[in-house]
Amino acid sequence: MDQGDAAVWAAGIGVIGTSIGAFGGYFAGRAQGRATVDGVRLQLSGQREDAVWQAELDAFAALIDQFNAARMQIGTVVAKFEASRRELRRLSPHGGGTREEAYAALMECVRELVVRENALRLRTARTYANAATAVRVQLLDVLEVLQAYCVARARGRRAWSLHRQFTSQMAGYISDLDAFVRDAQERFSRPRPGS
């Protein structure tokens, strides 16, 4: 082999080596790119799971807040209807509204509660959503008796039997709400599934 052939042969080997290196680099880069994409997908999946978990937690918190707001507003309504008209007139300059305004605020609170319950239903398992519905149904039972009690009080009757029934229904509501809150606390005190 003379020098010219050796130079051509060496150049050919160099081209082949460069080609092999280029192909190797291409495939290594492709593998690295695929690994990067897979890593980003995994990260996005984890972020999505975190966002879903946070949305569920927020929905539980909002609903529990609304259940408690209804509980407080029921107390306001009862206080208004247990007060005499004269007591209400004496208190009116200090704010707080009328009996009717207090009752209307309670109904608005319940409407908002239903909205928040529906939001929770979209973000959690059926078991938890059904537990929330059970508490709301208990609240509606309270409101049914409360309405009859308020009508009787507005007509000037003492309505002791309705008051006892209301007190019993309210105790059931508070008990169910407390159990719902405990279950939510237990659920969200554990680490997020998949983490």
Side-chain angles (χ1 to χ4, degrees):
M1 184 183 299
D2 65 13
Q3 278 189 340
D5 289 334
V8 169
W9 188 75
I13 295 286
V15 168
I16 292 172
T18 302
S19 297
I20 290 172
F23 281 123
Y26 168 76
F27 287 114
R30 188 168 174 194
Q32 182 181 8
R34 178 169 284 130
T36 300
V37 168
D38 289 345
V40 168
R41 282 186 183 145
L42 184 61
Q43 180 182 3
L44 290 176
S45 174
Q47 288 174 347
R48 181 184 178 283
E49 288 173 8
D50 285 344
V52 167
W53 180 256
Q54 188 63 50
E56 183 181 15
L57 174 64
D58 292 346
F60 266 93
L63 181 60
I64 289 168
D65 283 349
Q66 200 63 32
F67 274 132
N68 282 312
R71 180 177 173 178
M72 297 304 290
Q73 191 59 35
I74 287 170
T76 300
V77 168
V78 169
K80 292 280 184 182
F81 278 89
E82 287 182 349
S84 69
R85 296 250 181 225
R86 193 168 78 181
E87 290 170 327
L88 290 173
R89 279 192 302 275
R90 272 190 280 159
L91 292 173
S92 67
H94 305 290
T98 65
R99 291 173 168 177
E100 293 75 18
E101 290 168 337
Y103 195 83
L106 174 58
M107 292 300 102
E108 182 57 36
C109 189
V110 171
R111 278 189 285 280
E112 181 63 27
L113 190 146
V114 171
V115 169
R116 291 182 183 191
E117 178 191 348
N118 288 333
L120 177 71
R121 188 166 289 286
L122 293 172
R123 290 174 174 83
T124 195
R126 183 174 299 181
T127 304
Y128 300 115
N130 290 344
T133 299
V135 177
R136 180 184 46 83
V137 167
Q138 182 67 37
L139 173 61
L140 295 178
D141 291 344
V142 169
L143 296 179
E144 184 177 332
V145 177
L146 178 63
Q147 182 182 24
Y149 176 71
C150 290
V151 167
R153 290 296 295 143
R155 292 180 180 159
R157 296 196 318 247
R158 294 302 308 161
W160 294 114
S161 65
L162 284 172
H163 189 271
R164 281 191 300 276
Q165 188 179 357
F166 162 75
T167 302
S168 173
Q169 290 287 349
M170 191 65 182
Y173 170 64
I174 291 169
S175 175
D176 287 356
L177 177 57
D178 288 346
F180 181 74
V181 170
R182 276 192 309 276
D183 290 347
Q185 287 171 330
E186 181 182 325
R187 174 171 168 69
F188 291 104
S189 66
R190 294 188 304 255
R192 179 180 62 78
S195 62

